[in-house]
Amino acid sequence: MDIGTFDSFPFDFESKRVTVYRRGSGPGVLVMHEIPGITPEMADFVDRLASAGFTVWMPHLFGEPGKPYSDIYALAEVAKLCIGREFSVFAANQSSPITNMLRVLGRKLLDEAGGKGIGAIGMCITGNFVLALMMDPFLLAPVLSQPSLPLATLVTPSAKRALHVSDAELENARKRSAGGTTVLGFRFTCDKTCPSERFACLREELGAGFDGTEIDSSPGNPHGIRAKAHSVFVREFRDEAGHPTRAALDHLINFYKDKLC
């Protein structure tokens, strides 16, 4: 999918201007794209959500819109984010400053799309952002796909469990989960960037409010998913009946329809 076929508009927050790509109609869903940026496959994912009946907004956060994925491209974008001020990629107990802008954008999406609330999905380096966005009660359908912050997941056991949110944001997520807000999560079982300890922590903190899907990527798995698989809805997605990533997308779409429609 060519991102150039999407509608777009500029969004100003404090001293920063971002381009927001939008597609579809219906209840609002805010998509925070993954590393390295808005690739054609990332645009495909947005198009699938829009086709399912949602107004999808995706702000351009990093990378070059429309540029295809490559490992070198991905590593270069990670390096830039590591020294940037808007993404606190090594922080265990605080969220990235850019979540302040995303919360304001979420309110604007609700105002324009209408309805009782919005959904949101963070992916990879933006995955944990959704927990911070839960501070706004109008976020009714939060989803974390392969949440990867803090990046120091291979250094210490505590970093593997860390959720990249402040104590206040985590306490709010606990209260909302206890009050009936479900948080979806997706990861591959052998993904070291989003380790199993992180999902274990989410289950401990959110209890029955966390609905985590872990897709088998172990050697010899029946679908031939590679051990290094990371990107559930983009790079590793297969639009094939019976494939677990297709089942994950169906689960995501049904979740949004149940919570927002």
Side-chain angles (χ1 to χ4, degrees), residues 1-248:
M1 177 67 62
D2 180 3
I3 193 64
T5 65
F6 286 37
D7 293 333
S8 65
F9 64 92
F11 177 70
D12 295 315
F13 178 76
E14 296 179 346
S15 60
K16 182 177 178 61
R17 167 170 287 193
V18 299
T19 298
V20 179
Y21 294 92
R22 60 185 171 192
R23 199 167 187 87
S25 61
V29 174
L30 182 66
V31 172
M32 291 159 281
H33 62 81
E34 62 188 32
I35 290 288
I38 303 175
T39 62
E41 293 81 9
M42 189 74 233
D44 286 342
F45 170 70
V46 170
D47 187 60
R48 291 185 181 100
L49 291 183
S51 296
F54 302 101
T55 298
V56 187
W57 286 13
M58 177 172 58
H60 170 222
L61 303 177
F62 44 78
E64 180 182 333
K67 184 175 179 177
Y69 178 92
S70 73
D71 289 342
I72 293 176
Y73 177 27
L75 289 172
E77 289 304 314
V78 170
K80 291 177 185 177
L81 294 177
C82 285
I83 61 174
R85 291 181 294 177
E86 294 176 320
F87 289 77
S88 304
V89 298
F90 299 110
N93 300 312
Q94 69 180 54
S95 57
S96 289
I98 200 169
T99 57
N100 296 321
M101 181 270 285
L102 294 167
R103 289 179 61 188
V104 176
L105 183 62
R107 164 57 71 180
K108 180 177 175 64
L109 171 57
L110 176 64
D111 291 343
E112 295 202 11
K116 55 186 179 181
I118 68 169
I121 181 169
M123 314 170 82
C124 178
I125 210 164
T126 66
N128 309 70
F129 292 2
V130 173
L131 295 174
L133 270 59
M134 287 179 70
M135 294 294 285
D136 294 310
F138 56 80
L139 176 54
L140 303 181
V143 182
L144 298 79
S145 189
Q146 73 268 9
S148 304
L149 295 185
L151 284 182
T153 51
L154 302 180
V155 179
T156 66
S158 62
K160 292 181 180 181
R161 289 175 51 85
L163 299 178
H164 191 67
V165 288
S166 68
D167 290 342
E169 289 163 342
L170 181 56
E171 179 59 24
N172 173 74
R174 289 193 197 102
K175 289 180 179 178
R176 292 202 57 195
S177 293
T181 299
T182 299
V183 178
L184 290 196
F186 298 91
R187 68 177 292 272
F188 289 105
T189 57
C190 294
D191 185 0
K192 294 182 179 179
T193 307
C194 176
S196 60
E197 290 88 344
R198 187 155 295 149
F199 267 36
C201 183
L202 285 163
R203 291 188 176 97
E204 292 172 18
E205 297 289 355
L206 306 183
F210 181 64
D211 178 1
T213 296
E214 298 183 80
I215 299 172
D216 185 11
S217 58
S218 62
N221 69 81
H223 295 279
I225 297 171
R226 62 196 186 104
K228 293 184 178 180
H230 173 65
S231 174
V232 175
F233 296 111
V234 183
R235 289 193 65 218
E236 309 295 338
F237 179 77
R238 300 293 179 268
D239 195 5
E240 304 167 2
H243 196 277
T245 58
R246 176 69 234 193

